Amino acid sequence: MSNTHLSPHTSWIPYSADCDFTIHNIPFGISKSSTGAYHASSIIGNYVIDLAALNSLGYFSELRIEQSVFVNRYLNDFISLGKEKTNRIRAILIELFSDASSKLKANEAHQMQVLKDSTLADMQLPIKVSNYTDFYSSIEHATNVGTMFRDPKNALLPNWRHIPIGYHGRASSICVSGTNFHRPNGQTKAADAELPTFGPTKMLDFELEMAFVVGKETALGETIPMDKTNEYIFGMLLFNDWSARDMQTWEYVPLGPFLAKNFASTVSPWIVTMEALEPFRVAQPTQEPSVLPYLQGTGNNNIDIHLQVILQPEKGDEMVVSTSNFKYMYWSMNQQLAHHASNGCNMQIGDLYASGTISGATPDSYGSMLELTWRGTKPITMPDGTERKFILDQDTVIIKGYCEKDGIRVGFGEAKAKVLAATS
């Protein structure tokens, strides 16, 4: 369902002009009640919408959905209903909260059951992550990293423009926004040292990313043509793929990232549907040379998402350290998915696929401290006068993102986490 017809709509729920969760959004997540129950939810303005309550009150009666789908620890069963039903639920919500509707607006008793103050909501990881894959799809980021570690003339490896590079990551350590974590320990080796040492990373970094959720399964051996990929992408979240750069430098040869990236990843709690993002589609950068036929598609497959990374020290003022955009991505989500399935790898509902670090062409749009400080050689000066080469203990990193066009705003909220001291 496209949002293009929604521009005249306003809601009887008040919200500010810069609100992420407008009537044009209606994302999905999981909230935990004071009694410990998990409920599928949505949000508008400053109110979390309890979908379990709406279903029990009969607002989704036409769809005949079991209550267990809504009283659930994760959204996987909800997503498994298929887009025909989940889009219909979203359409019902848009109708219920539109100024033109009086059904819920006039029923204060139902409102008491359905609407909760979002500042008091205990938001949870929205999906049981079946599998997690991290890609490496920003040409600016890949070029910057290649320039740092190799000859700038050979910054991109020969395969980079031909194939969406990715690796399988750790699903169990993906955490919802607000989950703090300890600085990881690991092996590192100084350039002038003969042997490695073990201890806390000295080069802890964030990675500004987006992720998409798979909403339709494939069988082992089945592939997904490019022109069918949109059927399999349910929605998107903000994603921070925390990285220990010194650990990564020592361990990544010959098999790639391992302990340097599997200790924590942070996601936002609300999955914004692809239908809500439809008005913000844009063309992706020109791919040269032309990609192989199975990666060629039509239409606009990138999305204009304004992104911001905020660094918040334990004391003192916070600072915006990066302003970027998802539209810069060289490889689209559709190409990532088509490639992932091209060898017959079976896709599962709840699979989470991250974009890789999102960097733009200018230094203020770089999506990691590695790039922003050029591997620590150009420290960032914070408002209190302290410097950051990488992330320190008690620092909090906040990623925010939103789309805006023709008076329609659709946002993602935030992905936030604080770094605690390493454990012994």
Side-chain angles (χ1 to χ4, degrees), residues 39-40 50-61 64-71 109-110 113-114 116:
H39 285 190
D50 188 333
L51 302 187
L54 282 173
N55 193 55
S56 66
L57 292 168
Y59 287 92
F60 305 141
S61 58
R64 304 187 180 212
I65 300 171
E66 293 291 332
Q67 186 70 351
S68 61
V69 171
F70 299 103
V71 182
H110 283 191
Q113 297 180 61
V114 169
K116 315 293 179 184

Side-chain angles (χ1 to χ4, degrees), residues 77-94:
D77 288 348
F78 175 82
I79 296 171
S80 297
L81 294 172
K83 284 198 174 191
E84 184 176 349
K85 284 191 175 181
T86 59
N87 284 347
R88 180 57 189 148
I89 289 170
R90 182 170 169 270
I92 291 171
L93 293 174
I94 291 171

Side-chain angles (χ1 to χ4, degrees), residues 110-387:
H110 283 191
Q111 289 179 39
M112 293 287 289
Q113 297 180 61
V114 169
L115 297 175
K116 315 293 179 184
D117 184 344
S118 65
T119 62
L120 303 177
D122 185 4
M123 298 308 300
Q124 304 292 304
L125 187 68
I127 55 170
K128 176 68 174 176
V129 181
S130 306
N131 302 282
Y132 161 51
T133 298
D134 189 33
F135 286 93
Y136 188 54
S137 294
S138 163
I139 196 168
E140 290 84 2
H141 174 68
T143 300
N144 287 338
V145 173
T147 298
M148 276 183 230
F149 292 96
R150 289 188 299 276
D151 177 358
K153 294 180 180 179
N154 299 299
L156 293 180
L157 292 172
N159 63 351
W160 200 92
R161 288 179 181 270
H162 297 276
I163 186 172
I165 301 296
Y167 73 96
H168 294 295
R170 181 75 180 179
S172 67
S173 55
I174 295 174
C175 306
V176 73
S177 178
T179 305
N180 303 327
F181 66 94
H182 292 276
R183 177 176 297 269
N185 292 299
Q187 280 195 29
T188 60
K189 181 182 175 297
D192 58 353
E194 181 180 355
L195 296 172
T197 58
F198 183 84
T201 177
K202 296 181 178 66
M203 299 173 71
L204 183 63
D205 201 355
F206 67 82
E207 289 193 354
L208 169 62
E209 304 193 23
M210 297 294 302
F212 69 88
V213 179
V214 170
K216 186 177 179 181
E217 296 191 344
T218 63
L220 190 66
E222 185 180 354
T223 61
I224 304 176
M226 274 289 292
D227 62 358
K228 298 290 186 182
T229 49
N230 284 325
E231 299 175 16
Y232 291 80
I233 301 175
F234 178 75
M236 300 182 69
L237 314 91
L238 301 169
F239 195 86
N240 185 348
D241 184 28
W242 296 95
S243 299
R245 299 299 186 184
D246 45 359
M247 292 165 56
Q248 184 177 354
T249 300
W250 173 236
E251 76 176 4
Y252 85 100
V253 177
L255 293 181
F258 186 38
L259 301 187
K261 286 180 174 284
N262 70 1
F263 56 91
S265 298
T266 303
V267 298
S268 50
W270 296 106
I271 303 176
V272 178
T273 65
M274 299 312 299
E275 287 68 35
L277 296 171
E278 189 67 27
F280 311 102
R281 287 188 176 273
V282 293
Q284 70 193 92
T286 300
Q287 294 182 315
E288 296 178 349
S290 294
V291 297
L292 293 174
Y294 79 100
L295 292 172
Q296 294 175 9
T298 58
N300 293 331
N301 288 326
N302 271 17
I303 300 172
D304 185 5
I305 305 173
H306 302 275
L307 296 166
Q308 188 179 68
V309 183
I310 300 165
L311 182 53
Q312 184 181 73
E314 183 179 20
K315 298 177 181 178
D317 295 332
E318 64 184 29
M319 178 179 176
V320 176
V321 294
S322 176
T323 303
S324 197
N325 198 300
F326 185 68
K327 69 182 179 182
Y328 300 145
M329 299 305 289
Y330 187 87
W331 293 103
S332 70
M333 292 183 293
N334 305 74
Q335 290 174 317
Q336 291 168 350
L337 182 58
H339 179 66
H340 203 317
S342 65
N343 68 341
C345 175
N346 53 316
M347 305 293 105
Q348 296 183 317
I349 289 171
D351 282 359
L352 192 66
Y353 299 155
S355 62
T357 303
I358 303 164
S359 292
T362 57
D364 62 335
S365 65
Y366 294 165
S368 66
M369 293 293 283
L370 180 70
E371 297 164 273
L372 290 166
T373 70
W374 211 252
R375 212 182 178 192
T377 62
K378 301 176 181 180
I380 292 172
T381 301
M382 298 295 292
D384 62 1
T386 61
E387 291 186 337

